[in-house]
Amino acid sequence: MQRLLQDLVIEQAGRRPESTAVVCGASTLSYGELDALSNRLARLLQDGGCQPGDRVALLMPKCPMAIVAMLGIYKACGIYVPLDPGSPASRLKKILESCQSRWVLTAETATCVLSEILEDAGWRKRLSIGWLDESQPAETLHVDFTPAALAGYSDAPVDGPNRPSDPAHILFTSGSTGVPKGVVITHSNVMHLVRWAATHFSMSASDRMSGHPPLYFDMSFLDVFGAAAVGAELHLVPPELSTFPNKLAAFIRDSALTQWFSVPSVLNYMAKFNVVGVNDFPALRRVMWAGDVLPATSLIYWMKRLPHVTFTNLYGPTETTIVSSYYTVPGCPDDVQAVIPIGCACEGEELLVLDESMHMVPTGETGELYIGGVGVVRGYWGDSERTEAAFVEHPYRPGERLYKTGDLARTGNDGLVYFLGRRDSQVKSRGYRIELGEIEGAVNALGGIRECAVVAVPVGGFEGVAICCAYAAAAGCNPTRVELRRELGRLVPSYMLPLHWLALASLPTNANGKIDRRRLLDVFESSVTAATGTA
């Protein structure tokens, strides 16, 4: 029998109510407390008029009460819409408008951005704000969901009409038109992944798992519900630690984490600052990453220092529910230019490398990666045009859908799938087709480089594009552009050498911890225009 996401916590509360569920600094919640508080919040929402299917937004920092809010929304049969407290009010308004939410559960730390949203009188009438503040306009309905305020509500189980096929949450990602896209993910989508992960990685109640990504990032759902599925402890990583690699290492060590899951930039950052000792983190058993490519240099660093740990590359777009494929590295690579595959499909998933005619490409040849199976989501909230463009019919099994990832890939002779970069990261210059990801991999393999990103600025004419590289040097190193170009010339053809270089203390990242290539592209566009005199 299929279950809902909140059932994972309900079951753990019934078996082991005193066991720790969530830890964040000095704040902790047991499974019993998590279940009881979320039941009370669900009743508060229902008493306030929340109906099944209502979109309920959450605007608050990562903390145990944010997990309570998530579960309370599910139990009230609402659809959870996580918001980034660091986003500008204008973007949050677009998201709230898109999903037609009239509920925002928030914390006092988000009052500034919330005040900007409420400057519009129409929003005051539409939103129910989830914390008590008498200074806010009277037209806004206020509810307080602190533990003390929730004490007046029953913590008895909450029954609702939700089904596994119903939406659990809507995650908004960047849209090419400037309007965020809302990916609709169901309870069953996430439950399939959680069941697979718990079994495949032999997760258990003895695990102490990291919660590094922000809650509005899809990776956080594997952390939250992977822990709940087995009754493990979820240790939320304070966001401020991410800029201090030595503090991140101390967090893993002091929390005795058994599992670490993050974007590769975090692992790369810690490796470049050499904060991991030999045989460090004795409790750690698993390191997993997703969302970007981890350079072999960083992987080698980690694997040489932590021979007792297994390392797994996970791959999957938000549109296919976080993870669609996996590859556990069998041994430490001996080549700094080694390419780590994204591996094979998770149970119930399917990876297809197709050509432009939707036919399978031969082994070793490049095609576009399509994903099918249990993780494929419904589509984009209220946007049938985008949904139809991204979700297409399976060429071999009519009636089934595939998600068109926009990623280039190939299948190797070993039967594993290799990620080759974004389709839009393949450029043509002087008649040559060039993968920007290949250049990045070569730059990352150079000594003295901590991190890098390669982008291409359109310039027209025979050149087509100007290849540009932004980089941050490793501690104690100061390679010149001439030196980098000379060393890189030993790894890639001359037509792949960047024309423009930019040295930075650190590369800019977006809210999800990924390198912000859009920002770098804007910077390079200005410099290329100035250098060429083009408008």
Side-chain angles (χ1 to χ4, degrees):
M1 178 180 177
Q2 287 194 329
R3 298 172 294 171
L4 304 172
L5 289 173
Q6 62 265 31
D7 291 336
L8 297 174
V9 171
I10 293 170
E11 290 168 9
Q12 295 299 336
R15 294 174 188 154
R16 324 165 51 238
E18 303 303 321
S19 297
T20 300
V22 185
V23 180
C24 187
S27 300
T28 64
L29 286 176
S30 68
Y31 276 101
E33 291 170 329
L34 195 57
D35 185 40
L37 286 170
S38 56
N39 283 342
R40 289 168 177 163
L41 176 58
R43 294 185 187 282
L44 183 153
L45 290 170
Q46 291 173 338
D47 287 354
C50 184
Q51 299 294 315
D54 275 1
R55 277 70 65 201
V56 183
L58 179 66
L59 180 68
M60 63 187 301
K62 185 167 55 177
C63 64
M65 282 305 290
I67 308 300
V68 170
M70 180 193 307
L71 293 167
I73 293 168
Y74 291 153
K75 290 179 177 182
C77 298
I79 302 174
Y80 166 56
V81 183
L83 301 176
D84 175 10
S87 283
S90 58
R91 187 176 193 275
L92 297 180
K93 277 187 178 181
K94 289 178 181 178
I95 291 175
L96 292 170
E97 183 70 52
S98 175
C99 69
Q100 299 176 306
S101 172
R102 69 180 189 87
W103 286 87
V104 176
L105 297 178
T106 189
E108 293 190 52
T109 52
T111 52
C112 291
V113 67
L114 183 63
S115 295
E116 289 186 56
I117 295 174
L118 293 176
E119 285 177 1
D120 183 340
W123 285 102
R124 293 190 188 117
K125 295 176 181 179
R126 291 168 56 187
L127 294 178
S128 300
I129 307 303
W131 62 278
L132 189 60
D133 181 3
E134 300 299 338
S135 67
Q136 288 292 336
E139 297 94 325
T140 304
L141 172 64
H142 301 283
V143 292
D144 181 5
F145 73 106
T146 60
L150 292 176
Y153 291 86
S154 170
D155 61 5
V158 182
D159 293 325
N162 264 14
R163 299 164 299 175
S165 58
D166 287 335
H169 47 268
I170 303 174
L171 296 183
F172 280 85
T173 63
S174 297
S176 58
T177 63
V179 178
K181 299 181 295 185
V183 183
V184 182
I185 302 174
T186 67
H187 286 267
S188 61
N189 285 145
V190 183
M191 286 295 290
H192 281 298
L193 170 64
V194 166
R195 280 197 295 264
W196 171 81
T199 300
H200 182 79
F201 294 109
S202 301
M203 296 176 179
S204 71
S206 65
D207 270 311
R208 298 162 67 90
M209 303 180 183
S210 67
H212 182 272
L215 295 180
Y216 51 85
F217 191 28
D218 62 352
M219 287 169 58
S220 67
F221 291 89
L222 183 54
D223 293 332
V224 173
F225 294 105
V230 296
E233 293 182 10
L234 175 65
H235 289 250
L236 300 177
V237 183
E240 61 270 18
L241 297 190
S242 291
T243 55
F244 300 99
N246 58 323
K247 292 185 178 181
L248 279 176
F251 182 89
I252 296 172
R253 203 176 292 121
D254 296 343
S255 302
L257 295 185
T258 61
Q259 175 174 298
W260 178 266
F261 182 33
S262 72
V263 291
S265 61
V266 175
L267 300 176
N268 194 43
Y269 197 43
M270 295 174 71
K272 295 300 184 180
F273 278 92
N274 193 25
V275 297
V276 182
V278 176
N279 295 318
D280 211 342
F281 317 139
L284 195 63
R285 296 198 294 267
R286 294 180 293 274
V287 169
M288 304 185 297
W289 67 92
D292 216 333
V293 175
L294 179 67
T297 49
S298 291
L299 179 59
I300 291 170
Y301 172 92
W302 279 86
M303 294 191 75
K304 282 186 174 180
R305 283 158 179 77
L306 305 179
H308 59 285
V309 175
T310 60
F311 292 82
T312 302
N313 181 20
L314 300 175
Y315 165 87
T318 302
E319 286 86 347
T320 60
T321 316
I322 316 165
V323 174
S324 300
S325 72
Y326 67 98
Y327 177 74
T328 295
V329 185
C332 185
D334 54 11
D335 183 356
V336 295
Q337 295 191 67
V339 178
I340 309 304
I342 60 174
C344 54
C346 301
E347 182 181 351
E349 309 270 358
E350 181 181 23
L351 306 182
L352 295 172
V353 183
L354 306 177
D355 61 19
E356 294 182 355
S357 300
M358 298 290 286
H359 296 134
M360 295 286 288
V361 300
T363 297
E365 292 191 12
T366 299
E368 182 168 355
L369 183 58
Y370 289 73
I371 300 176
V374 295
V376 177
V377 305
R378 287 186 171 186
Y380 301 113
W381 180 267
D383 196 333
S384 58
E385 184 176 345
R386 277 177 170 170
T387 298
E388 290 174 5
F391 298 86
V392 299
E393 186 173 54
H394 198 300
Y396 307 117
R397 291 197 293 275
E400 294 187 22
R401 298 160 68 241
L402 297 176
Y403 172 64
K404 179 182 173 69
T405 69
D407 289 340
L408 297 173
R410 67 175 175 84
T411 302
N413 291 326
D414 52 11
L416 301 174
V417 176
Y418 290 76
F419 171 79
L420 302 177
R422 292 287 300 167
R423 175 173 285 280
D424 53 19
S425 76
Q426 185 184 75
V427 298
K428 193 169 185 179
S429 178
R430 289 171 282 177
Y432 294 100
R433 290 195 178 277
I434 300 169
E435 291 295 340
L436 301 182
E438 182 179 352
I439 303 174
E440 279 190 14
V443 175
N444 273 315
L446 300 179
I449 295 297
R450 188 172 82 241
E451 56 182 348
C452 77
V454 176
V455 297
V457 177
V459 294
F462 176 64
E463 292 290 337
V465 297
I467 299 174
C468 309
C469 178
Y471 66 93
C477 299
N478 187 28
T480 67
R481 301 174 192 186
V482 173
E483 291 170 337
L484 291 175
R485 184 178 173 87
R486 183 181 65 246
E487 293 301 312
L488 185 61
R490 297 172 179 170
L491 301 177
V492 301
S494 59
Y495 61 82
M496 294 176 66
L497 293 175
L499 297 176
H500 300 267
W501 298 77
L502 177 63
L504 299 170
S506 61
L507 268 59
T509 58
N510 58 27
N512 294 334
K514 298 182 182 180
I515 295 173
D516 194 336
R517 298 174 195 277
R518 179 66 259 178
R519 195 189 310 178
L520 290 174
L521 191 57
D522 289 342
V523 172
F524 277 119
E525 282 179 343
S526 299
S527 62
V528 170
T529 298
T532 61
T534 57

